Amino acid sequence: MIKKIHFLWLALMSIVISSCKLDLLDNPNAVTTNNTDINYLASQIQVSYATHFNQVGDPGMRLTRMLNAGAAIYDNAVTPGGLDGTWTTAYAGILNDVKTLIPLAEQGEFFVHAGVARVVRASVLMNFVDIFGDVPYTEALDASNFNPKVDGGATVYTVALADLDKAIENFNAKSKSGLTVDLYFGGTIDNWIRTANTLKLKIYLNRKLIDAAGSKTGINTLIAGNKLISTTTQNFTFKYGSNQVNPDNRHPRYAGQYSPTGGGDYQSNAYMGLMYDKKDPRIRAYFYRQVTVNSKDVNEIRCITNQKPNHYAATDYYCLPTNVGYWGRDHLSNEGIPPDGLKRTAWGLYPAGGLYDNDAGRPVALVAGAAGAGIQPMLMSSFTDFMLAEAALTLGTNGDPKTLLESALRKSMADVRAFMLASAESSKITAFETSSNIVWADQVNNYVKAVLTAYDAAATTSAKLNVIATEYWFALYGNGIEAYNLYRRTGMPLNLQPALDPNPGSFIRSFYYPTAFVSRNVNAKQKANMTTPVFWDNNPASLFK
Protein backbone atom coordinates (compact mmCIF):
# COMPACT_ATOMS: atom_id res chain seq x y z
CA MET A 1 0.00 0.00 0.00
CA ILE A 2 2.91 2.34 0.85
CA LYS A 3 4.32 1.96 -2.67
CA LYS A 4 0.89 2.61 -4.15
CA ILE A 5 0.41 5.84 -2.21
CA HIS A 6 3.93 6.97 -3.02
CA PHE A 7 3.20 6.41 -6.70
CA LEU A 8 -0.05 8.35 -6.52
CA TRP A 9 1.62 11.32 -4.87
CA LEU A 10 4.41 11.26 -7.46
CA ALA A 11 1.79 11.08 -10.18
CA LEU A 12 0.07 14.11 -8.74
CA MET A 13 3.36 16.01 -8.62
CA SER A 14 4.13 15.07 -12.23
CA ILE A 15 0.77 16.44 -13.31
CA VAL A 16 1.61 19.69 -11.54
CA ILE A 17 4.91 19.99 -13.40
CA SER A 18 3.51 19.05 -16.79
CA SER A 19 0.69 21.58 -16.52
CA CYS A 20 2.92 24.60 -15.82
CA LYS A 21 3.23 27.33 -18.43
CA LEU A 22 5.35 30.45 -18.22
CA ASP A 23 3.05 33.37 -18.85
CA LEU A 24 4.02 36.57 -17.10
CA LEU A 25 0.50 37.94 -17.53
CA ASP A 26 -0.95 35.19 -15.32
CA ASN A 27 -0.94 35.24 -11.54
CA PRO A 28 0.87 31.96 -10.82
CA ASN A 29 -1.01 31.58 -7.54
CA ALA A 30 -4.49 31.85 -9.08
CA VAL A 31 -6.41 28.96 -10.57
CA THR A 32 -8.29 30.11 -13.65
CA THR A 33 -10.05 28.44 -16.55
CA ASN A 34 -7.16 29.42 -18.82
CA ASN A 35 -4.27 27.99 -16.85
CA THR A 36 -5.61 24.89 -15.14
CA ASP A 37 -5.33 21.20 -15.86
CA ILE A 38 -8.49 19.45 -14.72
CA ASN A 39 -6.62 16.26 -13.83
CA TYR A 40 -4.31 18.19 -11.54
CA LEU A 41 -7.23 20.13 -10.12
CA ALA A 42 -9.24 16.97 -9.46
CA SER A 43 -6.24 15.46 -7.65
CA GLN A 44 -5.71 18.62 -5.64
CA ILE A 45 -9.35 18.60 -4.56
CA GLN A 46 -9.00 15.02 -3.33
CA VAL A 47 -5.86 15.76 -1.32
CA SER A 48 -7.29 18.98 0.12
CA TYR A 49 -10.43 17.15 1.19
CA ALA A 50 -8.36 14.89 3.45
CA THR A 51 -6.89 17.99 5.09
CA HIS A 52 -10.37 19.46 5.48
CA PHE A 53 -11.70 16.28 7.06
CA ASN A 54 -8.86 16.20 9.56
CA GLN A 55 -9.44 19.86 10.43
CA VAL A 56 -13.20 19.71 10.97
CA GLY A 57 -12.99 16.43 12.87
CA ASP A 58 -10.40 17.42 15.46
CA PRO A 59 -12.64 19.59 17.71
CA GLY A 60 -15.43 17.01 17.48
CA MET A 61 -13.17 14.26 18.80
CA ARG A 62 -12.18 16.48 21.73
CA LEU A 63 -15.72 17.57 22.56
CA THR A 64 -17.02 13.99 22.52
CA ARG A 65 -14.25 12.65 24.75
CA MET A 66 -12.29 10.73 22.12
CA LEU A 67 -9.31 13.01 22.74
CA ASN A 68 -8.43 15.44 25.50
CA ALA A 69 -9.50 19.04 24.94
CA GLY A 70 -6.68 21.20 26.26
CA ALA A 71 -8.86 23.84 27.89
CA ALA A 72 -10.61 24.12 31.24
CA ILE A 73 -13.87 25.59 29.95
CA TYR A 74 -15.86 25.07 26.77
CA ASP A 75 -15.53 28.66 25.62
CA ASN A 76 -11.77 28.17 25.24
CA ALA A 77 -11.95 24.70 23.72
CA VAL A 78 -12.59 25.95 20.16
CA THR A 79 -11.17 29.39 19.37
CA PRO A 80 -11.85 31.67 16.37
CA GLY A 81 -8.16 31.99 15.52
CA GLY A 82 -7.72 28.24 15.63
CA LEU A 83 -10.30 27.82 12.87
CA ASP A 84 -8.68 30.11 10.28
CA GLY A 85 -6.89 27.26 8.52
CA THR A 86 -10.10 25.24 8.39
CA TRP A 87 -11.92 28.14 6.72
CA THR A 88 -9.12 28.80 4.24
CA THR A 89 -8.79 25.16 3.21
CA ALA A 90 -12.50 25.08 2.39
CA TYR A 91 -13.13 28.43 0.71
CA ALA A 92 -9.82 29.49 -0.81
CA GLY A 93 -8.96 25.89 -1.62
CA ILE A 94 -11.58 23.21 -2.18
CA LEU A 95 -14.70 25.23 -2.98
CA ASN A 96 -12.83 27.59 -5.29
CA ASP A 97 -11.19 24.66 -7.09
CA VAL A 98 -14.53 22.87 -7.46
CA LYS A 99 -16.15 25.99 -8.87
CA THR A 100 -13.37 26.18 -11.48
CA LEU A 101 -13.38 22.49 -12.33
CA ILE A 102 -17.06 21.66 -12.80
CA PRO A 103 -17.85 23.83 -15.87
CA LEU A 104 -14.61 22.77 -17.55
CA ALA A 105 -15.27 19.10 -16.85
CA GLU A 106 -18.88 19.16 -17.98
CA GLN A 107 -18.07 21.16 -21.09
CA GLY A 108 -15.37 18.63 -21.99
CA GLU A 109 -17.60 15.66 -21.03
CA PHE A 110 -15.30 14.59 -18.21
CA PHE A 111 -18.29 13.76 -16.07
CA VAL A 112 -16.43 11.62 -13.54
CA HIS A 113 -14.28 14.63 -12.64
CA ALA A 114 -17.42 16.73 -12.18
CA GLY A 115 -19.11 14.05 -10.08
CA VAL A 116 -16.15 13.70 -7.71
CA ALA A 117 -15.94 17.49 -7.35
CA ARG A 118 -19.63 17.68 -6.49
CA VAL A 119 -19.38 14.91 -3.88
CA VAL A 120 -16.49 16.69 -2.20
CA ARG A 121 -18.22 20.07 -2.33
CA ALA A 122 -21.41 18.65 -0.85
CA SER A 123 -19.50 17.08 2.01
CA VAL A 124 -17.54 20.27 2.73
CA LEU A 125 -20.75 22.32 2.78
CA MET A 126 -22.45 19.81 5.08
CA ASN A 127 -19.49 19.76 7.44
CA PHE A 128 -19.39 23.55 7.62
CA VAL A 129 -23.10 23.77 8.40
CA ASP A 130 -22.59 21.08 11.04
CA ILE A 131 -19.85 23.00 12.84
CA PHE A 132 -20.66 26.66 12.13
CA GLY A 133 -24.39 26.78 11.31
CA ASP A 134 -25.10 29.51 8.73
CA VAL A 135 -22.20 29.94 6.28
CA PRO A 136 -21.58 31.82 3.01
CA TYR A 137 -22.49 30.06 -0.20
CA THR A 138 -24.67 32.09 -2.60
CA GLU A 139 -22.34 35.11 -2.49
CA ALA A 140 -19.16 33.16 -1.75
CA LEU A 141 -16.36 32.77 -4.31
CA ASP A 142 -17.46 35.87 -6.23
CA ALA A 143 -14.25 37.69 -7.14
CA SER A 144 -16.09 41.02 -7.06
CA ASN A 145 -17.66 40.51 -3.62
CA PHE A 146 -15.30 40.59 -0.66
CA ASN A 147 -18.11 40.66 1.89
CA PRO A 148 -20.36 37.67 1.23
CA LYS A 149 -23.37 37.21 3.48
CA VAL A 150 -24.13 33.89 5.09
CA ASP A 151 -26.87 31.54 3.91
CA GLY A 152 -29.11 29.65 6.32
CA GLY A 153 -27.84 26.21 7.25
CA ALA A 154 -31.03 24.55 5.99
CA THR A 155 -30.56 26.23 2.60
CA VAL A 156 -26.95 25.07 2.34
CA TYR A 157 -27.98 21.51 3.24
CA THR A 158 -30.50 21.64 0.39
CA VAL A 159 -27.74 22.80 -1.95
CA ALA A 160 -25.56 19.88 -0.81
CA LEU A 161 -28.37 17.39 -1.39
CA ALA A 162 -28.88 18.73 -4.92
CA ASP A 163 -25.13 18.52 -5.54
CA LEU A 164 -25.14 14.85 -4.56
CA ASP A 165 -28.05 14.11 -6.89
CA LYS A 166 -26.24 15.90 -9.71
CA ALA A 167 -23.03 14.02 -8.89
CA ILE A 168 -24.85 10.70 -9.28
CA GLU A 169 -26.19 11.96 -12.60
CA ASN A 170 -22.60 12.81 -13.62
CA PHE A 171 -21.35 9.36 -12.65
CA ASN A 172 -24.08 7.68 -14.70
CA ALA A 173 -23.31 9.78 -17.79
CA LYS A 174 -20.94 8.63 -20.53
CA SER A 175 -17.62 10.24 -19.73
CA LYS A 176 -14.62 10.67 -22.03
CA SER A 177 -12.38 9.34 -19.28
CA GLY A 178 -12.17 8.73 -15.57
CA LEU A 179 -9.82 10.40 -13.13
CA THR A 180 -6.13 10.19 -13.96
CA VAL A 181 -5.55 9.68 -10.22
CA ASP A 182 -8.37 8.43 -7.98
CA LEU A 183 -6.95 8.57 -4.46
CA TYR A 184 -10.08 7.09 -2.88
CA PHE A 185 -11.44 4.31 -5.06
CA GLY A 186 -8.89 3.63 -7.79
CA GLY A 187 -11.39 4.40 -10.53
CA THR A 188 -14.39 2.38 -9.26
CA ILE A 189 -17.29 4.68 -10.13
CA ASP A 190 -19.86 2.56 -8.30
CA ASN A 191 -18.08 3.36 -5.03
CA TRP A 192 -18.38 7.09 -5.71
CA ILE A 193 -22.12 6.63 -6.29
CA ARG A 194 -22.38 4.75 -2.99
CA THR A 195 -20.47 7.53 -1.24
CA ALA A 196 -22.86 10.13 -2.63
CA ASN A 197 -25.85 8.12 -1.41
CA THR A 198 -24.32 7.56 2.02
CA LEU A 199 -23.75 11.30 2.35
CA LYS A 200 -27.45 11.71 1.54
CA LEU A 201 -28.18 9.25 4.36
CA LYS A 202 -26.23 11.57 6.69
CA ILE A 203 -28.32 14.53 5.58
CA TYR A 204 -31.61 12.76 6.18
CA LEU A 205 -30.53 11.39 9.55
CA ASN A 206 -29.30 14.78 10.78
CA ARG A 207 -32.59 16.34 9.71
CA LYS A 208 -34.74 13.79 11.52
CA LEU A 209 -35.45 16.10 14.48
CA ILE A 210 -37.01 18.79 12.29
CA ASP A 211 -38.50 16.68 9.47
CA ALA A 212 -39.11 13.13 10.65
CA ALA A 213 -41.47 12.26 7.80
CA GLY A 214 -39.13 13.59 5.12
CA SER A 215 -36.15 11.80 6.67
CA LYS A 216 -38.05 8.51 6.86
CA THR A 217 -39.09 8.72 3.21
CA GLY A 218 -35.61 9.71 2.06
CA ILE A 219 -33.88 6.94 4.01
CA ASN A 220 -36.33 4.29 2.85
CA THR A 221 -35.71 5.37 -0.73
CA LEU A 222 -31.96 4.95 -0.23
CA ILE A 223 -32.48 1.53 1.34
CA ALA A 224 -34.61 0.44 -1.62
CA GLY A 225 -31.99 1.70 -4.05
CA ASN A 226 -29.39 -0.58 -2.44
CA LYS A 227 -26.49 1.74 -3.35
CA LEU A 228 -25.03 2.61 0.04
CA ILE A 229 -21.53 1.86 1.31
CA SER A 230 -21.92 -1.67 2.63
CA THR A 231 -18.60 -3.55 2.43
CA THR A 232 -14.97 -2.95 3.37
CA THR A 233 -13.97 -2.49 -0.29
CA GLN A 234 -16.45 0.40 -0.59
CA ASN A 235 -15.18 2.39 2.42
CA PHE A 236 -14.64 6.10 1.77
CA THR A 237 -11.16 6.65 3.20
CA PHE A 238 -8.08 8.68 2.36
CA LYS A 239 -4.96 6.52 2.48
CA TYR A 240 -1.65 7.98 3.59
CA GLY A 241 1.86 6.82 2.79
CA SER A 242 5.06 6.59 4.84
CA ASN A 243 7.29 9.26 3.27
CA GLN A 244 8.73 11.74 5.77
CA VAL A 245 9.75 14.32 3.17
CA ASN A 246 9.28 15.23 -0.51
CA PRO A 247 6.41 14.94 0.22
CA ASP A 248 5.53 14.12 3.81
CA ASN A 249 2.47 12.01 3.11
CA ARG A 250 2.12 10.38 6.53
CA HIS A 251 -1.06 10.51 8.57
CA PRO A 252 -1.01 13.85 10.45
CA ARG A 253 -1.76 12.16 13.78
CA TYR A 254 1.24 9.92 13.32
CA ALA A 255 3.46 12.79 12.21
CA GLY A 256 2.47 14.76 15.30
CA GLN A 257 3.33 12.04 17.79
CA TYR A 258 5.93 9.62 16.44
CA SER A 259 9.22 11.43 16.98
CA PRO A 260 12.31 10.97 19.15
CA THR A 261 10.66 13.08 21.87
CA GLY A 262 7.10 11.76 21.50
CA GLY A 263 4.41 14.10 22.77
CA GLY A 264 1.37 14.93 20.66
CA ASP A 265 -2.23 14.20 21.56
CA TYR A 266 -3.45 13.10 24.94
CA GLN A 267 -5.96 10.32 24.52
CA SER A 268 -9.19 10.36 26.51
CA ASN A 269 -9.05 8.48 29.81
CA ALA A 270 -12.76 7.73 29.68
CA TYR A 271 -12.73 6.44 26.09
CA MET A 272 -9.78 4.14 26.79
CA GLY A 273 -11.16 3.01 30.12
CA LEU A 274 -14.53 2.05 28.67
CA MET A 275 -12.96 0.10 25.81
CA TYR A 276 -10.64 -1.70 28.21
CA ASP A 277 -13.41 -2.67 30.61
CA LYS A 278 -15.64 -3.83 27.76
CA LYS A 279 -12.79 -5.99 26.41
CA ASP A 280 -13.11 -4.34 23.03
CA PRO A 281 -10.93 -6.25 20.50
CA ARG A 282 -10.06 -3.01 18.69
CA ILE A 283 -8.25 -1.44 21.64
CA ARG A 284 -4.80 -2.77 20.70
CA ALA A 285 -5.17 -1.26 17.25
CA TYR A 286 -6.57 2.08 18.43
CA PHE A 287 -4.03 2.86 21.18
CA TYR A 288 -0.35 2.21 21.70
CA ARG A 289 0.85 2.14 25.31
CA GLN A 290 4.41 3.37 25.68
CA VAL A 291 4.42 1.90 29.20
CA THR A 292 2.44 -1.04 30.53
CA VAL A 293 2.24 0.08 34.17
CA ASN A 294 0.70 3.39 35.25
CA SER A 295 3.07 5.90 36.80
CA LYS A 296 2.97 6.68 40.53
CA ASP A 297 5.10 9.81 40.10
CA VAL A 298 3.13 12.96 40.86
CA ASN A 299 5.55 14.93 38.68
CA GLU A 300 4.36 12.89 35.72
CA ILE A 301 0.68 12.53 36.57
CA ARG A 302 -0.37 15.27 38.99
CA CYS A 303 -3.89 13.99 39.52
CA ILE A 304 -2.85 10.75 41.25
CA THR A 305 -2.71 12.57 44.61
CA ASN A 306 -6.01 14.39 44.05
CA GLN A 307 -9.47 13.34 45.11
CA LYS A 308 -12.01 12.56 42.43
CA PRO A 309 -14.04 15.76 41.83
CA ASN A 310 -17.26 15.87 43.84
CA HIS A 311 -19.37 16.35 40.71
CA TYR A 312 -18.05 13.09 39.24
CA ALA A 313 -20.26 10.03 39.66
CA ALA A 314 -18.86 6.86 41.20
CA THR A 315 -18.86 5.29 37.72
CA ASP A 316 -16.96 8.15 36.07
CA TYR A 317 -13.36 7.44 35.14
CA TYR A 318 -10.83 9.79 36.70
CA CYS A 319 -7.09 10.28 36.28
CA LEU A 320 -5.99 6.66 35.65
CA PRO A 321 -8.47 4.59 33.65
CA THR A 322 -6.55 1.34 34.25
CA ASN A 323 -3.45 0.10 36.02
CA VAL A 324 -1.85 -1.28 32.87
CA GLY A 325 -0.43 1.83 31.25
CA TYR A 326 -3.32 3.55 29.51
CA TRP A 327 -2.22 7.11 30.12
CA GLY A 328 -4.36 9.99 28.90
CA ARG A 329 -6.23 12.95 30.35
CA ASP A 330 -9.69 13.68 31.65
CA HIS A 331 -12.23 15.83 29.85
CA LEU A 332 -11.29 19.53 29.69
CA SER A 333 -8.05 19.05 31.58
CA ASN A 334 -5.63 21.87 30.83
CA GLU A 335 -2.75 20.93 33.11
CA GLY A 336 0.78 21.80 32.09
CA ILE A 337 2.88 19.35 30.10
CA PRO A 338 5.19 17.21 32.24
CA PRO A 339 8.04 15.11 30.76
CA ASP A 340 5.70 12.35 29.62
CA GLY A 341 6.11 12.56 25.84
CA LEU A 342 7.53 9.04 25.71
CA LYS A 343 5.10 7.62 28.27
CA ARG A 344 1.58 8.87 27.47
CA THR A 345 -0.61 6.57 25.36
CA ALA A 346 -0.15 7.29 21.67
CA TRP A 347 -2.24 6.89 18.57
CA GLY A 348 -1.96 3.27 17.54
CA LEU A 349 -2.09 1.37 14.29
CA TYR A 350 -5.68 2.24 13.36
CA PRO A 351 -6.34 4.71 11.86
CA ALA A 352 -3.10 6.69 12.26
CA GLY A 353 -0.65 4.12 10.91
CA GLY A 354 1.25 3.80 14.19
CA LEU A 355 2.24 0.85 16.35
CA TYR A 356 0.14 -2.18 17.24
CA ASP A 357 0.09 -2.69 21.00
CA ASN A 358 1.71 -6.05 21.71
CA ASP A 359 2.56 -5.26 25.34
CA ALA A 360 6.08 -4.19 24.36
CA GLY A 361 5.83 -1.02 26.43
CA ARG A 362 8.52 0.78 24.42
CA PRO A 363 8.53 4.45 23.43
CA VAL A 364 7.42 5.63 20.02
CA ALA A 365 10.10 6.47 17.47
CA LEU A 366 10.49 8.44 14.26
CA VAL A 367 9.85 5.39 12.09
CA ALA A 368 7.71 2.83 13.87
CA GLY A 369 4.75 0.58 13.23
CA ALA A 370 3.16 1.30 9.87
CA ALA A 371 5.27 4.49 9.61
CA GLY A 372 2.22 6.71 9.19
CA ALA A 373 0.48 4.74 6.45
CA GLY A 374 -2.92 5.24 8.02
CA ILE A 375 -6.33 6.38 6.83
CA GLN A 376 -8.94 9.06 7.37
CA PRO A 377 -12.09 7.01 8.13
CA MET A 378 -14.62 9.28 6.40
CA LEU A 379 -17.43 6.81 5.72
CA MET A 380 -16.92 3.20 6.72
CA SER A 381 -19.26 0.32 5.95
CA SER A 382 -20.13 0.05 9.64
CA PHE A 383 -21.19 3.71 9.77
CA THR A 384 -23.95 2.99 7.26
CA ASP A 385 -25.46 0.27 9.42
CA PHE A 386 -25.16 2.29 12.62
CA MET A 387 -27.04 5.14 10.94
CA LEU A 388 -29.66 2.75 9.59
CA ALA A 389 -30.05 1.16 13.03
CA GLU A 390 -30.67 4.58 14.58
CA ALA A 391 -33.15 5.44 11.83
CA ALA A 392 -35.00 2.13 12.15
CA LEU A 393 -35.32 2.56 15.92
CA THR A 394 -36.27 6.25 16.02
CA LEU A 395 -38.02 6.82 12.67
CA GLY A 396 -39.40 3.40 11.87
CA THR A 397 -37.48 3.08 8.60
CA ASN A 398 -37.12 -0.32 6.97
CA GLY A 399 -34.93 -2.83 8.75
CA ASP A 400 -34.62 -4.31 12.24
CA PRO A 401 -32.55 -2.12 14.61
CA LYS A 402 -30.98 -5.07 16.45
CA THR A 403 -30.01 -6.84 13.24
CA LEU A 404 -28.51 -3.64 11.88
CA LEU A 405 -26.65 -3.07 15.16
CA GLU A 406 -25.07 -6.52 14.98
CA SER A 407 -24.16 -5.99 11.34
CA ALA A 408 -22.59 -2.62 12.18
CA LEU A 409 -20.54 -4.11 15.01
CA ARG A 410 -19.21 -6.93 12.89
CA LYS A 411 -18.41 -4.60 10.00
CA SER A 412 -16.48 -2.26 12.28
CA MET A 413 -14.47 -5.17 13.60
CA ALA A 414 -13.90 -6.42 10.04
CA ASP A 415 -12.82 -2.98 8.82
CA VAL A 416 -10.28 -2.60 11.62
CA ARG A 417 -9.06 -6.18 11.22
CA ALA A 418 -8.60 -5.82 7.47
CA PHE A 419 -6.56 -2.66 8.03
CA MET A 420 -4.44 -4.37 10.70
CA LEU A 421 -3.56 -7.37 8.57
CA ALA A 422 -2.83 -5.31 5.47
CA SER A 423 -0.39 -3.11 7.40
CA ALA A 424 3.33 -3.39 8.04
CA GLU A 425 2.45 -4.62 11.53
CA SER A 426 0.75 -7.79 10.26
CA SER A 427 3.49 -10.26 11.21
CA LYS A 428 3.84 -8.71 14.67
CA ILE A 429 0.07 -9.07 15.20
CA THR A 430 0.06 -12.71 14.16
CA ALA A 431 3.04 -13.55 16.37
CA PHE A 432 1.60 -11.80 19.42
CA GLU A 433 -1.86 -13.33 19.06
CA THR A 434 -0.35 -16.79 18.64
CA SER A 435 1.91 -16.48 21.69
CA SER A 436 -0.90 -14.98 23.78
CA ASN A 437 -3.58 -17.46 22.66
CA ILE A 438 -5.70 -14.64 21.33
CA VAL A 439 -8.37 -15.67 18.82
CA TRP A 440 -9.75 -12.55 17.16
CA ALA A 441 -12.99 -14.21 16.03
CA ASP A 442 -13.74 -15.38 19.57
CA GLN A 443 -13.09 -11.91 20.98
CA VAL A 444 -15.43 -10.38 18.41
CA ASN A 445 -18.18 -12.91 19.06
CA ASN A 446 -17.95 -12.37 22.82
CA TYR A 447 -18.10 -8.61 22.39
CA VAL A 448 -21.06 -8.71 20.00
CA LYS A 449 -22.93 -11.10 22.28
CA ALA A 450 -22.46 -8.77 25.25
CA VAL A 451 -23.70 -5.74 23.29
CA LEU A 452 -26.77 -7.55 21.97
CA THR A 453 -27.56 -8.79 25.48
CA ALA A 454 -27.42 -5.19 26.71
CA TYR A 455 -29.66 -4.12 23.84
CA ASP A 456 -32.25 -6.77 24.70
CA ALA A 457 -32.14 -5.76 28.36
CA ALA A 458 -32.74 -2.10 27.55
CA ALA A 459 -36.33 -1.43 28.57
CA THR A 460 -37.03 1.71 26.55
CA THR A 461 -36.40 3.04 23.08
CA SER A 462 -34.10 5.64 24.59
CA ALA A 463 -32.07 2.99 26.38
CA LYS A 464 -31.79 0.93 23.21
CA LEU A 465 -30.70 4.01 21.28
CA ASN A 466 -27.98 4.59 23.86
CA VAL A 467 -26.59 1.12 23.15
CA ILE A 468 -26.51 1.87 19.41
CA ALA A 469 -25.01 5.34 19.91
CA THR A 470 -22.35 4.10 22.30
CA GLU A 471 -21.20 1.42 19.88
CA TYR A 472 -21.24 3.90 16.99
CA TRP A 473 -19.05 6.19 19.12
CA PHE A 474 -16.48 3.43 19.56
CA ALA A 475 -16.51 2.63 15.84
CA LEU A 476 -15.98 6.31 14.97
CA TYR A 477 -12.46 6.60 16.40
CA GLY A 478 -10.65 9.05 14.11
CA ASN A 479 -13.88 10.62 12.82
CA GLY A 480 -14.77 13.58 14.99
CA ILE A 481 -17.37 15.18 12.73
CA GLU A 482 -19.70 12.18 12.91
CA ALA A 483 -19.12 11.74 16.64
CA TYR A 484 -20.03 15.41 17.19
CA ASN A 485 -23.14 15.07 15.00
CA LEU A 486 -24.18 11.89 16.80
CA TYR A 487 -23.92 13.51 20.23
CA ARG A 488 -25.89 16.62 19.29
CA ARG A 489 -28.49 14.59 17.38
CA THR A 490 -29.14 12.10 20.19
CA GLY A 491 -27.49 13.40 23.38
CA MET A 492 -25.77 10.01 23.46
CA PRO A 493 -23.69 8.21 24.59
CA LEU A 494 -25.24 9.02 27.96
CA ASN A 495 -23.14 9.74 31.02
CA LEU A 496 -20.03 10.96 29.22
CA GLN A 497 -17.21 11.98 31.55
CA PRO A 498 -17.85 15.48 32.98
CA ALA A 499 -15.38 18.32 32.70
CA LEU A 500 -12.87 18.59 35.55
CA ASP A 501 -14.14 22.06 36.38
CA PRO A 502 -17.64 21.80 37.89
CA ASN A 503 -18.63 24.95 35.97
CA PRO A 504 -17.14 24.61 32.46
CA GLY A 505 -19.91 26.57 30.78
CA SER A 506 -22.46 25.23 28.32
CA PHE A 507 -21.61 22.53 25.81
CA ILE A 508 -20.62 23.82 22.37
CA ARG A 509 -23.50 23.45 19.89
CA SER A 510 -21.74 25.32 17.02
CA PHE A 511 -18.36 26.98 16.68
CA TYR A 512 -17.39 30.61 16.65
CA TYR A 513 -16.74 31.93 13.15
CA PRO A 514 -13.01 32.09 12.31
CA THR A 515 -11.14 35.33 12.86
CA ALA A 516 -10.23 35.39 9.17
CA PHE A 517 -13.93 35.64 8.31
CA VAL A 518 -15.22 38.14 10.86
CA SER A 519 -12.22 40.48 10.69
CA ARG A 520 -12.27 40.86 6.88
CA ASN A 521 -15.96 40.82 6.10
CA VAL A 522 -18.16 43.81 7.02
CA ASN A 523 -21.26 41.59 6.76
CA ALA A 524 -19.90 38.97 9.14
CA LYS A 525 -21.09 39.03 12.73
CA GLN A 526 -19.35 36.96 15.37
CA LYS A 527 -21.57 34.82 17.58
CA ALA A 528 -22.07 35.95 21.17
CA ASN A 529 -21.32 32.40 22.30
CA MET A 530 -21.14 28.83 21.04
CA THR A 531 -24.44 27.63 22.49
CA THR A 532 -26.49 28.38 19.37
CA PRO A 533 -27.57 25.06 17.80
CA VAL A 534 -27.26 24.37 14.09
CA PHE A 535 -30.55 24.29 12.22
CA TRP A 536 -31.21 20.56 12.59
CA ASP A 537 -30.46 20.41 16.33
CA ASN A 538 -33.52 21.31 18.38
CA ASN A 539 -32.59 19.26 21.44
CA PRO A 540 -32.75 20.89 24.89
CA ALA A 541 -29.48 22.22 26.31
CA SER A 542 -29.99 20.02 29.38
CA LEU A 543 -29.22 16.98 27.20
CA PHE A 544 -25.52 17.83 26.97
CA LYS A 545 -22.66 18.14 29.42
Side-chain angles (χ1 to χ4, degrees), residues 44-82:
Q44 181 60 43
I45 289 167
Q46 294 175 70
V47 172
S48 296
Y49 180 70
T51 301
H52 161 82
F53 179 83
N54 192 66
Q55 290 171 329
V56 298
D58 183 82
M61 281 191 281
R62 300 184 191 282
L63 293 174
T64 59
R65 287 73 157 177
M66 282 181 176
L67 292 174
N68 165 253
I73 60 175
Y74 279 117
D75 205 49
N76 293 336
V78 183
T79 62

Side-chain angles (χ1 to χ4, degrees), residues 131-181:
I131 64 175
F132 294 117
D134 300 342
V135 292
Y137 180 72
T138 304
E139 297 183 2
L141 310 179
D142 181 348
S144 64
N145 183 358
F146 295 99
N147 301 288
K149 297 183 180 67
V150 298
D151 294 272
T155 298
V156 179
Y157 247 49
T158 300
V159 169
L161 188 61
D163 237 358
L164 293 170
D165 286 333
K166 183 63 177 179
I168 294 170
E169 181 182 320
N170 285 151
F171 291 133
N172 285 321
K174 185 177 181 180
S175 186
K176 282 186 177 179
S177 74
L179 298 175
T180 301
V181 177

